[in-house]
Amino acid sequence: NQRRHCIAMFTTNTSIMDSLCDTCDAGNPFDINSTSINSTLLLLRSYPARVAMLILSASFIIFANLVIKHNQDLRKKINSQQWFLIQMLMHPVIVGGTVYMANITGNEWWGLLGLPFIFNFGAEPMDFTKLPPRVLLIFQLFAYVHHAGPLLACLSCFSIQNNSQFALANSLLYAHAWSLHTLGALDYMKVLRKQKFFWIYMV
């Protein structure tokens, strides 16, 4: 009886294993080999986009610190251009749109498309020379973390790829955060006073 019981258990377990293997062969996401291959392919596809984003980000940071910071006339000239003001006004749409497209398609190259606008083409609208050295260091650190936010949101490792609900929620979050730039641009154009809308924006 004990032998028959062991044989029955073995037969049952074998059937279960066969069933699991059939499921894995059909593309089960818990298949370790399949998941590993998909992750490798995703990394290889994303690697060039990430390298390009790093290079372009570094270029804008270097331009801002070596050129714009020491030439305030050039910064003011760029900041006063109509195209620059328009891109500032459109930041919520541009940033939110690129995050949405990157998340919904799983294509990180969308982050590179939005990157020049995220960095304001290297011509930051603030005059960093007016800040004390210690404050400047902290301010720039948080400013570049602010810039990095939507770029990181475009990466597959920080998002749920091809999920429409996540893509919409993530894009609306960054669109709202970057709508503060729209208020700043409207304040600069004397359309409104941004301080009056600050608490409304926060709520």
Side-chain angles (χ1 to χ4, degrees), residues 10-80:
F10 177 77
T11 304
T12 303
N13 290 337
T14 303
S15 300
I16 292 172
M17 290 301 296
D18 289 342
S19 176
L20 285 173
C21 288
D22 290 340
T23 307
C24 289
D25 291 339
N28 190 305
F30 295 103
D31 178 10
I32 296 174
N33 292 330
S34 175
T35 304
S36 178
I37 292 171
N38 290 337
S39 298
T40 302
L41 290 174
L42 181 64
L43 182 61
L44 289 174
R45 188 180 69 178
S46 304
Y47 184 74
R50 296 179 187 185
V51 171
M53 280 194 274
L54 282 172
I55 293 172
L56 193 57
S57 297
S59 300
F60 282 128
I61 291 172
I62 291 170
F63 176 69
N65 284 277
L66 297 185
V67 179
I68 294 296
K69 184 178 177 182
H70 303 288
N71 191 341
Q72 290 302 308
D73 290 335
L74 177 60
R75 182 187 66 82
K76 291 176 182 177
K77 184 177 181 180
I78 295 174
N79 289 175
S80 62

Side-chain angles (χ1 to χ4, degrees), residues 148-189:
L151 296 178
L152 293 175
C154 290
L155 303 185
S156 57
C157 54
F158 292 107
S159 62
I160 303 173
Q161 296 298 296
N162 309 116
N163 184 303
S164 59
Q165 291 181 331
F166 177 85
L168 180 60
N170 211 23
S171 62
L172 288 176
L173 172 66
Y174 282 96
H176 177 262
W178 284 69
S179 63
L180 192 62
H181 294 187
T182 304
L183 290 176
L186 291 172
D187 181 80
Y188 177 82
M189 297 165 66

